[in-house]
Amino acid sequence: MDQGQAIWIKDPLGIFADGAARGVVVRNGRIVELVQAGGRPATTGAVAFDASQHVVLPGLINTHHHFYQTLTRALPAAMDRELFPWLQALYPVWARLTPEALQLGVSVAMAELLLSGCTTTTDHHYVFPAGLEDAVDIEVAVAKRLGVRVLLTRGSMNRSQRDGGLPPDSVVQDEDTILADSELVVAKYHQRGEDAMVQIALAPCSPFSVTTSLMRATAALADKLDVRLHTHLAETEDENKFCERAHGCRPLDYLEQCGWLNARTWLAHGIFFDAAEMKRLGKAGTTISHCACSNQILASGCCPVCDMEEAGVGVGLGVDGSASNDASNLMQEARAAFLLQRARYGVAKVSHKDALRWATKGSAACVGRPELGEIALGKAADLALFKLDELRFSGHGDPLAALVLCGAHRADRVMVAGKWVVSDGAIEGLDVADLMRRHSAAARAMQAG
Ligand SMILES: [Zn+2]
């Protein structure tokens, strides 16, 4: 497809945008025109794409995930456990991760995400057993092949059981190695500017698997390199207790002491912040990735999303997992967040549009990309188009509401930076059956030990 060729996504069945009832025109990777009801595009030579069977959303943005965990889904040894024992059951299995297995795990996660309407995803990769030093390189290669926009993190763990942490020695690295490699992968892969397809952030795993020294040094390095910062925080009561015992304070105080309480940082979970802490987060510009499915499966708790937003904290969505979710489907995640938050706050405060907003514009703030996550003039041409032709949608009224309320889970078409990467529900150039065969074999080998 010629990038200079304008495409009119014409007459959508529904669209999550104002003033675009007759669709949008995209060119050179951007949205260049919104076409109002009764109007026609002013852009000359635009080729029409008939969207009369499609509901059009801004591409969904996934703000928290661990791709490699697709290799350990629904693992009996980890099932029915809360976070800490769940992690302790999984660390020895994850220690067996190989470059080949990671490549397959990443491919599966990214494919699942794309097919669910996700156009930009983060990944929090923090397991670096010996032999897996090129993990970020592997992830970048898969993202480029599949055409998804990514903010990959160079994660880390350096506080093992020997030093009072949770993970075994076999999955951690030392601080110097981590910092040197962080600098290297940023220099190698981090693109700047609004058209960036690959970006890198720095992401120590959590306060209970990383030393204070590494937390501080990572924040300083992110500042120096001007990249984003990510970690898990306030996910469980166990973490609060760990923090109070190890550092004599609550997780957010600890985060601030480490130089992390700023607009560079987005945090996964954020369940256990009190009202005063939410105000501090809002003032600092730190954002939260809400992971509704993971929080429910691990019974961690419920992120107070509406209180967060009222305190000025931006909230996006993350599928987390895949060993805690155990899925990588962002459209289903939007429905899960809608249900969980509506149950908590009631019908007047949470609508299907809130869930879609968290999955798009809210998530864009988490990844520091205001040019994404919205169908508006000048924004990136990242779009997800869903058909309502399955049994589950039969008899629907409002097409946009039907996506969330009837449980859409598979996009028919996905556009990233103006290019179709999913057509007729399939990813261009990907043999899914072959991928599943190889991924399943790798998962079985890893789980068997
Ligand atoms: Zn996580």
Side-chain angles (χ1 to χ4, degrees):
M1 185 165 53
D2 173 11
Q3 272 289 286
Q5 172 68 59
I7 304 171
W8 176 18
I9 311 290
K10 185 183 171 189
D11 293 334
L13 185 60
I15 186 164
F16 190 44
D18 294 324
R22 291 214 69 201
V24 296
V25 180
V26 305
R27 188 166 61 192
N28 292 324
R30 297 296 176 94
I31 294 167
V32 294
E33 194 178 350
L34 305 185
V35 189
Q36 292 185 353
R40 287 192 59 81
T43 311
T44 51
V47 173
F49 170 82
D50 178 5
S52 60
Q53 303 298 311
H54 293 94
V55 183
V56 182
L57 299 182
L60 309 180
I61 300 170
N62 178 34
T63 60
H64 186 64
H65 206 359
H66 313 288
F67 293 157
Y68 73 92
Q69 292 182 11
T70 59
L71 293 152
T72 55
R73 297 198 242 226
L75 198 68
M79 266 166 16
D80 307 323
R81 291 171 181 244
E82 291 184 359
L83 182 69
F84 279 18
W86 175 87
L87 280 167
Q88 283 158 334
L90 283 163
Y91 283 136
V93 185
W94 294 339
R96 295 195 283 269
L97 190 62
T98 63
E100 296 73 27
L102 177 67
Q103 194 261 348
L104 293 163
V106 170
S107 302
V108 162
M110 285 188 189
E112 276 188 273
L113 282 163
L114 271 174
L115 292 171
S116 76
C118 172
T119 51
T120 299
T121 181
T122 62
D123 185 47
H124 188 179
H125 187 87
Y126 54 81
V127 177
F128 286 84
L132 199 60
E133 290 77 11
D134 294 339
V136 175
D137 307 71
I138 291 167
E139 297 199 5
V140 170
V142 178
K144 285 185 174 168
R145 184 157 54 80
L146 295 180
V148 64
R149 219 186 271 277
V150 286
L151 170 58
L152 302 169
T153 70
R154 201 310 179 178
S156 55
M157 297 196 290
N158 75 332
R159 183 188 181 109
S160 66
Q161 286 156 0
R162 205 173 36 197
D163 308 312
L166 211 60
D169 298 344
S170 56
V171 290
V172 305
Q173 294 177 305
D174 66 68
E175 180 172 329
D176 290 346
T177 304
I178 290 164
L179 293 172
D181 191 53
S182 298
E183 194 150 7
L184 190 78
V185 293
V186 169
K188 206 165 165 187
Y189 295 118
H190 184 73
Q191 300 169 353
R192 300 186 189 269
E194 293 192 345
D195 295 324
M197 288 296 292
V198 177
Q199 294 197 319
I200 305 291
L202 306 185
C205 186
S206 62
F208 49 83
S209 55
V210 172
T211 61
T212 304
S213 168
L214 180 58
M215 284 295 285
R216 288 199 176 124
T218 305
L221 184 60
D223 217 33
K224 179 182 135 190
L225 303 176
D226 190 20
V227 294
R228 295 186 75 72
L229 275 171
H230 182 52
T231 192
H232 296 93
L233 208 77
E235 182 175 1
T236 63
E237 288 285 14
D238 283 350
E239 181 192 314
N240 280 343
K241 285 182 209 140
F242 178 93
C243 222
E244 269 159 20
R245 199 173 59 240
H247 308 296
C249 61
R250 285 171 57 81
L252 191 70
D253 300 320
Y254 178 63
L255 196 80
E256 187 166 29
Q257 287 164 22
C258 293
W260 277 61
L261 192 57
N262 56 57
R264 207 178 275 295
T265 301
W266 89 104
L267 302 168
H269 306 300
I271 296 170
F272 292 99
F273 293 128
D274 62 27
E277 289 172 335
M278 287 184 218
K279 278 201 185 126
R280 284 162 65 195
L281 286 164
K283 200 167 162 217
T286 303
T287 46
I288 300 292
S289 171
H290 173 38
C291 306
C293 287
S294 168
N295 295 162
Q296 289 176 92
I297 286 182
L298 294 176
S300 302
C302 172
C303 174
V305 169
C306 294
D307 293 281
M308 288 273 189
E309 291 195 312
E310 278 165 21
V313 185
V315 178
L317 298 187
V319 299
D320 200 6
S322 297
S324 62
N325 183 321
D326 298 54
S328 309
N329 191 305
L330 195 46
M331 195 63 220
Q332 287 185 333
E333 193 67 35
R335 175 174 162 83
F338 164 74
L339 293 173
L340 184 64
Q341 297 302 328
R342 176 166 270 195
R344 178 171 184 142
Y345 290 104
V347 293
K349 272 201 162 175
V350 176
S351 78
H352 63 277
K353 288 189 179 175
D354 290 310
L356 293 173
R357 179 174 55 78
W358 297 328
T360 53
K361 203 176 170 184
S363 286
C366 287
V367 296
R369 303 284 305 263
E371 67 277 16
L372 308 179
E374 210 179 347
I375 296 176
L377 218 53
K379 303 275 177 174
D382 291 6
L383 303 169
L385 283 68
F386 294 80
K387 277 188 172 176
L388 303 182
D389 59 353
E390 294 167 67
L391 195 57
R392 67 178 67 218
F393 301 112
S394 185
H396 71 266
D398 181 326
L400 192 66
L403 287 184
V404 177
L405 300 179
C406 306
H409 63 109
R410 183 149 190 167
D412 180 63
R413 287 212 160 226
V414 175
M415 176 180 273
V416 182
K419 291 185 203 135
W420 293 117
V421 292
V422 173
S423 300
D424 300 328
I427 297 168
E428 305 277 347
L430 181 73
D431 182 342
V432 172
D434 177 61
L435 174 61
M436 281 172 63
R437 240 184 336 267
R438 291 186 293 134
H439 178 261
S440 302
R444 271 196 305 276
M446 205 168 129
Q447 292 169 21

